[in-house]
Amino acid sequence: MERVICLVIGYVFGLFQTAYFYGKAHGIDIRQHGSGNSGTTNALRVLGTKAGLIVFAGDCLKCILAVVVARLLFGESHADMIYLLCLYTGAGAVLGHNFPFYMGFKGGKGIAATAGMILSFHPYFIVMGVIAFFGAFLLTHYVSLGSLLVYAGFMIEMVICGQLGVFGEMTQAQLWEMYAVAALLTIMAYWKHRENIVRLAKGEERKTYLFKKNKVD
């Protein structure tokens, strides 16, 4: 039951579509411009760097707040499995961001929300996430490549940290469950980026820049 509650908490927080609301405040529907996604990268390309940073912060924060609520609710009563419950909460936030019911289940790709999940999950994951994303992005200017590397690193580090006992007194069954949830999130992220992967393989992926004008379709 706690798992379902955490998924619902995350989903509700994830429904706050920062890019959509920011776009509406500036007179546009972000889904009708650029890639059509309601996420950070499209906001950056369509509305500029300031918009991209605000959208990233908003989407990141909604996941962090959801995890904080889960910790407040279950931190003491379920201390042995709090990391698993936090992961379910983060997964719910990513699902809410990617598939908001009031927008016809068409949202973003969940990377900024995932960043919030990583920031609130465990300090070890922050370093990995920053290095994986910004290392790839600053070298190539491919947001998609950085995002995919973040998820690959997240999955690998989840298993390594779990087997090394970083998550405390969790049972092996709970650890396997946590790996399964992380794997499903990773598969979903790669599926959402399937077109980007094809373009990367062909050398046709669009580059994104923070401090210069980006080309918009």
Side-chain angles (χ1 to χ4, degrees):
M1 187 63 184
E2 296 81 10
R3 294 165 174 79
V4 175
I5 292 173
C6 287
L7 273 172
V8 172
I9 290 171
Y11 186 82
V12 170
F13 273 88
L15 290 175
F16 186 85
Q17 296 289 312
T18 314
Y20 175 75
F21 293 124
Y22 187 92
K24 282 296 187 181
H26 290 77
I28 72 167
D29 186 338
I30 193 69
R31 298 171 300 169
Q32 297 176 3
H33 298 269
S35 66
N37 283 310
S38 180
T40 298
T41 303
N42 201 34
L44 174 65
R45 289 172 178 161
V46 174
L47 296 168
T49 300
K50 178 182 175 182
L53 293 174
I54 290 173
V55 170
F56 177 82
D59 286 345
C60 188
L61 182 60
K62 68 188 180 186
C63 190
I64 293 174
L65 292 176
V67 172
V68 168
V69 171
R71 286 186 181 276
L72 289 174
L73 286 176
F74 300 112
E76 293 186 8
S77 60
H78 295 76
D80 60 323
M81 58 183 294
I82 192 59
Y83 284 106
L84 177 60
L85 295 180
C86 286
L87 185 59
Y88 271 107
T89 307
V94 173
L95 289 171
H97 176 79
N98 289 357
F99 309 107
F101 71 89
Y102 64 95
M103 291 171 61
F105 300 97
K106 183 182 179 182
K109 295 183 178 179
I111 300 305
T114 298
M117 178 175 66
I118 290 173
L119 287 172
S120 58
F121 191 73
H122 194 284
Y124 287 172
F125 286 72
I126 298 174
V127 176
M128 175 279 301
V130 170
I131 292 174
F133 180 81
F134 285 102
F137 175 67
L138 293 176
L139 286 173
T140 67
H141 296 287
Y142 293 141
V143 172
S144 56
L145 179 60
S147 302
L148 294 168
L149 289 177
V150 165
Y151 256 107
F154 174 70
M155 184 69 239
I156 293 168
E157 191 167 13
M158 178 70 74
V159 175
I160 292 174
C161 287
Q163 295 307 120
L164 290 178
V166 172
F167 304 132
E169 308 257 333
M170 292 182 67
T171 65
Q172 189 60 48
Q174 290 170 339
L175 287 172
W176 281 116
E177 183 179 354
M178 194 157 65
Y179 304 157
V181 174
L184 288 173
L185 285 172
T186 302
I187 291 169
M188 182 173 66
Y190 275 70
W191 173 252
K192 294 284 283 185
H193 284 82
R194 61 193 182 280
E195 294 178 358
N196 304 86
I197 294 171
V198 172
R199 288 195 296 268
L200 284 168
K202 293 181 177 179
E204 299 173 353
E205 179 69 324
R206 185 187 311 135
K207 294 187 176 184
T208 302
Y209 302 90
L210 285 177
F211 302 110
K212 56 189 288 191
K213 188 173 180 61
N214 290 281
K215 180 180 178 182
V216 180
D217 293 338

